[in-house]
Amino acid sequence: MRFKEKLTLTLRGYRMLHQLVPGAMLWAFVQNLVRALTPFLNVYLSGRIIDFLAQGRPLRDLLWLVGITVTVNALLKLTEQASGRTVDYLIEKLHAVWEKPLYEKIQTMDYARVEDVRTHAALSEIEIMRSTNGFGFMRLYFSFFHGVRGFFLVLFSLTLTIGAFIAQPAREAGGFRFLFSPWFTVLILLATLGHAAFSGLCSYRKTKKSNRIYRSTESINRQWMYWWRQIRQYQMGKDLKVYALDRLIDSAYIQTTIQDFHAVNGQVQKIFRFYEPLEGALSVVFRIVIYAYVALKALFGAFGVGSIVQYVGGLSQLSSGTVLLIREISVLITNADALKAYFDFTDAPNQKYQGTLSVEKRADNEYEIEFHDVSFRYPGTETDVLRHVSLKFNVGQKMAVVGRNGSGKTTMIKLLCRLYDPTEGFITLNGIDIRKYDYEDYLGIFSVVFQDFKLFSFSLGQNVAASVSYDAHRVQECLHKAGLEDRMDRMPKGLDTVLYKDFEEDGVEISGGEAQKIALARALYKNAPFIILDEPTAALDPLSEFEIYSHFDQIVGDKTAVYISHRLSSCRFCSDILVFDEGRLIQRGSHDQLVADRLGRYYELWHAQAQYYDTAAERKA
């Protein structure tokens, strides 16, 4: 990456940092200005106190100077503490919001990219660079924090030590006359810059090399984070105990990962053991040169004993400040790679065509959707999972979709909701290609209970309404229709009861069947004209399942409903049944029509399940 691009990325990062947490850099500037100023004022004032003592100045003058020193230190200390508390608060705030652009991008990106393994790899790379060596967005703040201090250390050092370079001897220097030559002054300054440049180069090299090693271990870090997350989930406890999975995970994965980490850290430590002794040795040599330079000049009467304290302290701080400033600049140069990963993720454009047409809001729910010779294959694959599907969803129709696993049922729903677009063919809503509609507007006509639905550790009411605020009466009606009224009445805080115990000690653990009913209630609360249920009763007991199906028309009302299930006995309430096999729609009709076709796949599936139920009943008898 060229330097210009790194600079552009860094400046963009600072603009975003200011937008996310206004004032963060201002207060960092104030705190580090005070931190840099404090030692120089103390060195300067201490030097003056020593001069007053050496010159035999009156006690009044000495006490006056001591008073100024104490007052200035007190004011600086108060300013540093006040700014420090603000800085600490803003750092915590920055830790809380730096990922916000990533979350916002995930929420707005095409669903195809959300499912793409490359998306997860990109997020993993950002997290790994942050967790292993602190690179990424947060590094911008800390480099600014330390860089400001380094800059003012250099500035104040030059101000404080300029007298050491221009001071002339009070008596003949003899063979040491060269110490007072302008050329030797330039040489000392060059030595200071050289020391700083070498330290900065060492820092840059060890940071770059260690970063390269850490980035090569991305798969190790992903495994470690995955297993660590799994073990921490209390819902995993039953399986971990019953099957002793903790020992399997520990021996097969965690121990191996720890060994890999030890190997990686060993490589990194080798790099640090090579560069850090070089930096330390050069620093010692430089300090010896500085002390000798100031001491020899003082020996020939160039300045008094108080100035020795001032110049030695100033020149030492000049070296430290220059090293710190160059080091943070080198870190920012390396950090640009992490920023590139961050902004590459947030800048990635969506490929899905974004329509602009509004979906007509119809009180009569007259929405007709049709598949026109639709085929689809997932990105990065070569096999169609849907092949030349043509079908129409009639208004108010109750339709069941059946077929073996992998026959394309759920994929059809993803296309219907435009989570993906067809590879071939097209889908229309009321005769218009669905790609021409505003996407959010189009999604508004669907309520879906996916097979892998998710509930969250919010209150029961918020989970149903998918909103912080909600209509409590309507939520209760939907829970009643979904068959959860009795359970809701037993919850300690009613609709305000928090699900699960992730955040609340008095959270309520719910069963899989109860969760499924809440998901169904959420679909009903949305009150969309088109409702899709993907295995909505898989976790329900037979009685609850029968209760829902026997009242299905009442629950769904005049909505168009699509119901996907492996239990063919539960599809009989639907007037229209679609049979999928290997991505094709091979049969369509009512239960009686399809079961009468002895050569059809539905007949085969129906009797396979019926035989199972008959055998089970005979054994029970």
Side-chain angles (χ1 to χ4, degrees):
M1 193 190 317
R2 294 179 179 275
F3 177 77
K4 183 178 180 181
E5 184 180 357
K6 295 188 176 204
L7 178 61
T8 301
L9 287 168
T10 302
L11 292 176
R12 180 184 174 185
Y14 278 119
R15 287 194 297 270
M16 181 176 286
L17 191 155
H18 174 68
Q19 291 169 1
L20 290 173
V21 186
M25 290 189 292
L26 173 62
W27 283 102
F29 181 90
V30 171
Q31 185 185 27
N32 283 283
L33 170 60
V34 174
R35 281 183 171 180
L37 180 60
T38 299
F40 288 102
L41 283 175
N42 282 325
V43 166
Y44 176 77
L45 292 172
S46 297
R48 300 293 71 74
I49 290 173
I50 293 173
D51 281 340
F52 276 27
L53 290 170
Q55 295 166 9
R57 298 282 289 271
L59 180 61
R60 182 184 59 185
D61 293 347
L62 186 63
L63 292 176
W64 179 78
L65 189 57
V66 170
I68 291 177
T69 303
V70 172
T71 302
V72 168
N73 271 281
L75 290 174
L76 290 175
K77 189 65 175 178
L78 288 173
T79 304
E80 183 183 351
Q81 287 182 341
S83 61
R85 290 185 180 278
T86 305
V87 166
D88 290 342
Y89 164 74
L90 292 173
I91 288 176
E92 290 300 320
K93 187 175 180 180
L94 184 59
H95 274 295
V97 302
W98 76 271
E99 292 178 300
K100 183 180 177 183
L102 300 178
Y103 296 148
E104 290 176 343
K105 181 62 180 180
I106 294 171
Q107 292 168 359
T108 58
M109 68 170 47
D110 293 342
Y111 182 76
R113 285 195 61 219
V114 174
E115 280 197 333
D116 195 333
V117 66
R118 289 172 294 185
T119 298
H120 299 282
L123 281 172
S124 177
E125 180 183 8
I126 294 170
E127 173 58 25
I128 287 168
M129 285 191 284
R130 184 200 67 80
S131 61
T132 52
N133 49 25
F135 279 0
F137 198 80
M138 289 296 299
R139 184 68 243 180
L140 287 172
Y141 181 81
F142 292 113
S143 286
F144 178 82
F145 188 89
H146 298 301
V148 166
R149 185 164 179 264
F151 171 79
F152 281 113
L153 284 175
V154 172
L155 180 63
F156 295 147
S157 296
L158 291 174
T159 303
L160 199 63
T161 58
I162 190 169
F165 298 115
I166 62 176
Q168 295 301 313
R171 52 183 177 272
E172 180 59 38
F176 293 96
R177 186 68 188 174
F178 68 90
L179 293 172
F180 301 92
S181 167
W183 294 108
F184 193 77
T185 299
V186 172
L187 183 63
I188 291 293
L189 291 174
L190 289 177
T192 302
L193 291 175
H195 169 231
F198 181 80
S199 295
L201 177 63
C202 288
S203 176
Y204 175 75
R205 294 291 296 173
K206 69 184 180 186
T207 301
K208 187 174 182 179
K209 287 183 177 181
S210 61
N211 187 44
R212 187 184 299 122
I213 292 172
Y214 283 130
R215 293 186 70 176
S216 69
T217 62
E218 181 180 337
S219 61
I220 300 174
N221 281 277
R222 279 209 306 268
Q223 288 181 31
W224 175 261
M225 286 189 289
Y226 172 78
W227 292 115
W228 181 238
R229 284 195 298 266
Q230 297 306 309
I231 291 175
R232 286 189 300 173
Q233 290 182 17
Y234 66 89
Q235 296 94 336
M236 290 277 292
K238 295 186 294 294
D239 290 305
L240 287 172
K241 291 296 182 184
V242 172
Y243 295 103
L245 289 174
D246 53 339
R247 292 198 293 269
L248 170 63
I249 294 171
D250 182 68
S251 61
Y253 296 99
I254 294 182
Q255 291 301 324
T256 302
T257 305
I258 290 175
Q259 292 173 7
D260 291 336
F261 273 133
H262 285 323
V264 168
N265 288 329
Q267 296 178 50
V268 172
Q269 289 305 315
K270 285 182 181 179
I271 294 171
F272 278 74
R273 284 197 296 269
F274 176 78
Y275 285 104
E276 288 185 348
L278 291 177
E279 292 181 76
L282 184 63
S283 180
V284 170
V285 171
F286 179 77
R287 288 182 181 276
I288 292 174
V289 170
I290 290 298
Y291 279 111
Y293 176 70
V294 173
L296 287 172
K297 275 201 162 187
L299 183 65
F300 294 107
F303 37 74
V305 65
S307 295
I308 294 177
V309 175
Q310 175 181 327
Y311 294 148
V312 168
L315 287 172
S316 297
Q317 292 291 343
L318 175 62
S319 172
S320 300
T322 309
V323 168
L324 183 60
L325 183 60
I326 293 179
R327 181 175 298 167
E328 291 306 321
I329 291 173
S330 69
V331 167
L332 284 176
I333 292 172
T334 307
N335 188 61
D337 293 330
L339 290 180
K340 186 175 188 304
Y342 185 96
F343 288 122
D344 281 350
F345 186 86
T346 59
D347 293 344
N350 285 331
Q351 302 299 321
K352 182 184 294 183
Y353 176 78
Q354 300 295 320
T356 57
L357 293 180
S358 296
V359 175
E360 182 184 3
K361 303 296 186 283
R362 301 181 63 100
D364 57 6
N365 287 340
E366 291 285 330
Y367 297 99
E368 186 177 83
I369 297 179
E370 185 171 359
F371 279 56
H372 300 264
D373 195 29
V374 169
S375 297
F376 176 75
R377 71 177 64 97
Y378 284 98
T381 65
E382 299 179 356
T383 304
D384 286 343
V385 292
L386 282 183
R387 298 181 178 87
H388 305 290
V389 174
S390 294
L391 63 92
K392 181 184 292 186
F393 299 93
N394 298 318
V395 177
Q397 185 180 34
K398 309 299 184 290
M399 178 186 294
V401 181
V402 302
R404 294 176 174 176
N405 289 333
S407 60
K409 304 185 298 298
T410 299
T411 299
M412 182 195 71
I413 300 305
K414 290 180 179 179
L415 295 179
L416 187 63
C417 296
R418 213 191 159 204
L419 298 176
Y420 289 92
D421 284 329
T423 306
E424 297 176 11
F426 59 98
I427 305 170
T428 58
L429 168 63
N430 293 343
I432 299 175
D433 193 323
I434 63 174
R435 290 173 291 192
K436 295 182 179 180
Y437 288 106
D438 176 83
Y439 184 59
E440 296 297 327
D441 217 23
Y442 176 74
L443 275 184
I445 70 172
F446 295 99
S447 286
V448 188
V449 179
F450 289 105
Q451 192 172 2
D452 54 350
F453 68 88
K454 298 295 180 184
L455 298 180
F456 300 93
S457 292
F458 302 141
S459 71
L460 173 62
Q462 290 171 341
N463 268 284
V464 173
S467 173
V468 174
S469 57
Y470 54 86
D471 183 335
H473 177 69
R474 195 165 137 220
V475 168
Q476 290 171 344
E477 283 187 339
C478 293
L479 288 169
H480 173 68
K481 288 182 179 180
L484 200 73
E485 187 174 30
D486 291 342
R487 183 68 176 94
M488 176 187 64
D489 291 340
R490 297 197 309 273
M491 288 188 175
K493 297 181 182 178
L495 296 182
D496 292 329
T497 302
V498 174
L499 303 185
Y500 310 117
K501 297 181 181 292
D502 296 284
F503 307 118
E504 300 285 344
E505 290 184 5
D506 58 352
V508 172
E509 292 293 329
I510 56 175
S511 67
E514 290 168 342
Q516 208 153 33
K517 290 179 180 180
I518 295 172
L520 178 58
R522 181 167 61 189
L524 297 174
Y525 186 91
K526 187 177 180 182
N527 197 30
F530 209 110
I531 187 166
I532 302 169
L533 308 176
D534 189 355
E535 294 285 353
T537 60
L540 298 183
D541 59 81
L543 185 60
S544 297
E545 183 181 33
F546 173 78
E547 185 178 327
I548 286 179
Y549 290 145
S550 61
H551 299 92
F552 193 77
D553 284 342
Q554 179 184 348
I555 292 173
V556 176
D558 62 349
K559 304 178 187 344
T560 302
V562 178
Y563 169 73
I564 301 175
S565 179
H566 288 98
R567 300 179 187 175
L568 273 62
S569 61
S570 61
C571 299
R572 299 182 64 174
F573 67 90
C574 294
S575 58
D576 195 12
I577 301 174
L578 308 180
V579 184
F580 277 78
D581 187 63
E582 296 183 353
R584 296 182 182 274
L585 175 57
I586 59 172
Q587 285 182 285
R588 182 172 188 174
S590 68
H591 168 75
D592 292 337
Q593 290 171 334
L594 294 175
V595 83
D597 182 2
R598 293 177 173 270
L599 299 179
R601 179 55 54 84
Y602 186 85
Y603 177 89
E604 176 188 340
L605 294 172
W606 171 263
H607 281 278
Q609 291 189 11
Q611 181 182 14
Y612 169 77
Y613 292 134
D614 289 343
T615 302
E618 289 173 3
R619 288 177 180 173
K620 187 175 181 181

